[in-house]
Structure formats: C-alpha cells, structure tokens
Amino acid sequence: GKDVFSADADLGDLIPMSVKRIAAAIEVLHKASLVHDDIEDGDRFRYGRETIHRTHGTGPAINVGDFLVGLGYRLISKQAETLGADCVADILAQLSAAHLDLCRGQGAELVWRNNGSALKPVDALSAYALKTAPAFEAALYAGLRAADADVDKGVIKKFSVYLGEAYQVLNDLQDWREHKGNKVVSGRDVAVEHPTLLRAFALEAGAKRRLTGADGDADKIRSIYEELGVFEKAEALAEKLRSRAIALAESLGDPALKDLLLFIVRTVV
C-alpha cells in the first residue's frame, strides 16, 4: 500500500534479506565508482572529507575501488539460492551493462577535458545520461526483478534518463550553492574543469573568451553565469526533466509501480 512509501515506514519485516543484500551491493558498486571518479577528476573532497586518494594515495584508492567492485558482484551472485539463478543472472547482466555505460560517460568527460573542445548543452546532457541514468536504471531493475514484478525495460530506461539528467543538473547547481557538506568549496567544478551543463550554456552564449580570461576564478565565473542567466536556464531544464519523469510515472497502469516511481522522483529530485 501507499503506507510503504511514507518517510517513517518500517520496511525491516517486509524486505527479504536477499533483497537487502542486493541493495547493499548496488550501493557498494556506487561507492566503488565514486572512489575511481574522484581519482580521475582530481577531486579533493567527498561527503565533506578528503578523498581516499588524497589521504592514502592513488594506488591504495584504486585497489579499494576494485575491491568494492568485486564485493558488489559477489554479494549479488550469492543470492542465487534464494532468488534463483535466472533472476540473479538477469540482475548481474543489467548491472554489468550499467557499469559499462557509466565508464563510457566518465570516458566522454575525460575526452572533453583532455581535448579542450567546446562543450554543447546536448553533449553535457548526453554525458549525464551515461554517467548517472544507468545507476538508477540498474537499481530499479534489480529491485523489480528480485520482486518478480513485470519489468518494462523501455519505461525504466526512459524514466532513469529523465531522473539521472535532472539529478546531475541539480547537482551542478548545488555545487554553486553549498560551502559545506559534500562539495566543501563553492564552484568546485571550475577548479577541476568539469564539463558541466552550466559551462555549456555559457559557451553557447558566446562567453568562451570571458571564461578563459576568468582562469578558474569561481567568483568571476559566477558573475558571468549570473549575467547570462545560466543558473535560471539550468533550473528550468531540471524542472522540465522532473516533470517528464512525473508524467511518465503517472501514465503507468500499474498503481504500485506508479507510486514507486513518484516516490523516487520526490526523493531524488
């Protein structure tokens, strides 16, 4: 029922241990990707603390990430006895496909940074779709498949793209709003030259020379973004993507799945 989706719902007795372990595995795989991404992006902080490669070195950080990847897949494979071999095989196939897409998205970002080519908003969204949407898609599929529910992969994929892109756009905006917490430094993407949608909007408006002249100065970049209405454009796009995710969920005939997807939209974006 809908009570299951309330903030204070007690799910302890409703969720089998095998499903909990799959959920843990997905989070373990997510953390592995963060450890590796932090190395590739040169990030200094994660969740308000120094990143693993800064505190322990690049080699140990790579090894930790690799260990977490193996642990995640092992946690899932061990559930074959309770969920069935076919179910586990399907979940592993979906997760491995997501793993590859996430790497492709990170690779696209690295190529952009290394080549220094102009970034268009559509390019940024494509990278966001590859870097974020597969994680939502795999998590959704794994839960539905473990529950032996009917899964329309096309619907889940489209919903995850809307959700993932909206999440990433909001994450870009949050980077400029927070001085504490996960980001630690406002405008962090400027310091590490992340190919963000905000920068793409500014480049599209013809601000390449001005951005280059700002030379990584977050205050100057913020002024340029504000002058060009970049933040407003990003906020409008995030709301459009959120609305598309809601509309897709509302169109579903299965009330339980509709409630689930709407709950996810409210929680994530």
Side-chain angles (χ1 to χ4, degrees):
K2 292 186 177 180
D3 290 343
V4 173
F5 300 108
S6 64
D8 58 351
D10 183 5
L11 304 180
D13 295 332
L14 297 175
I15 303 176
M17 184 56 66
S18 56
V19 175
K20 291 180 181 178
R21 285 171 179 158
I22 288 178
I26 291 172
E27 184 58 20
V28 165
L29 290 165
H30 175 232
K31 289 297 186 287
S33 73
L34 296 183
V35 173
H36 287 164
D37 284 1
D38 286 344
I39 296 170
E40 296 173 37
D41 295 341
D43 282 330
R44 297 171 56 198
F45 297 96
R46 173 69 64 178
Y47 303 128
R49 301 172 63 181
E50 281 196 293
T51 47
I52 293 177
H53 68 276
R54 284 179 57 83
T55 57
H56 293 83
T58 299
I62 292 173
N63 197 51
V64 167
D66 289 345
F67 181 87
L68 291 175
V69 170
L71 177 60
Y73 283 117
R74 184 184 182 189
L75 274 168
I76 294 170
S77 66
K78 288 285 188 179
Q79 308 317 309
E81 183 176 342
T82 53
L83 294 178
D86 288 345
C87 176
V88 167
D90 289 344
I91 292 173
L92 285 173
Q94 187 71 34
L95 280 171
S96 60
H99 192 153
L100 294 176
D101 280 340
L102 291 169
C103 290
R104 291 187 183 101
Q106 180 70 3
E109 184 174 301
L110 291 171
V111 167
W112 180 88
R113 290 215 311 264
N114 292 337
N115 292 345
S117 55
L119 181 71
K120 298 178 182 178
V122 67
D123 298 327
L125 279 179
S126 295
Y128 289 174
L130 281 172
K131 283 193 64 174
T132 311
F136 289 121
E137 184 181 355
L140 262 172
Y141 178 85
L144 292 169
R145 183 67 180 85
D148 199 26
D150 290 332
V151 180
D152 186 329
K153 288 189 175 183
V155 169
I156 296 302
K157 185 177 187 64
K158 184 180 291 187
F159 175 83
S160 298
V161 168
Y162 293 151
L163 189 71
E165 289 180 346
Y167 173 85
Q168 196 64 55
V169 173
L170 290 173
N171 190 61
D172 286 350
L173 287 166
Q174 197 71 3
D175 180 51
W176 289 89
R177 293 169 178 162
E178 289 189 356
H179 293 269
K180 295 180 181 180
N182 185 29
K183 298 302 181 184
V184 179
V185 179
S186 182
R188 177 184 60 88
D189 63 293
V190 171
V192 297
E193 298 181 344
H194 280 176
T196 67
L197 180 72
L198 304 179
R199 185 176 182 86
F201 277 141
L203 290 171
E204 186 180 50
K208 182 176 182 179
R209 182 175 297 180
R210 294 176 64 190
L211 290 172
T212 302
D215 194 26
D217 186 317
D219 289 332
K220 290 181 179 179
I221 299 294
R222 181 192 294 275
S223 295
I224 294 171
Y225 285 179
E226 289 176 344
E227 178 186 333
L228 298 175
V230 165
F231 296 123
E232 289 80 2
K233 289 181 181 178
E235 287 168 355
L237 178 57
E239 182 55 35
K240 181 184 292 186
L241 291 165
R242 183 176 184 276
S243 296
R244 287 177 178 174
I246 290 174
L248 180 59
E250 292 280 11
S251 71
L252 298 177
D254 184 338
L257 183 57
K258 179 179 75 173
D259 285 345
L260 172 63
L261 297 190
L262 289 174
F263 171 76
I264 291 171
V265 173
R266 292 196 302 270
T267 304
V268 176
V269 295

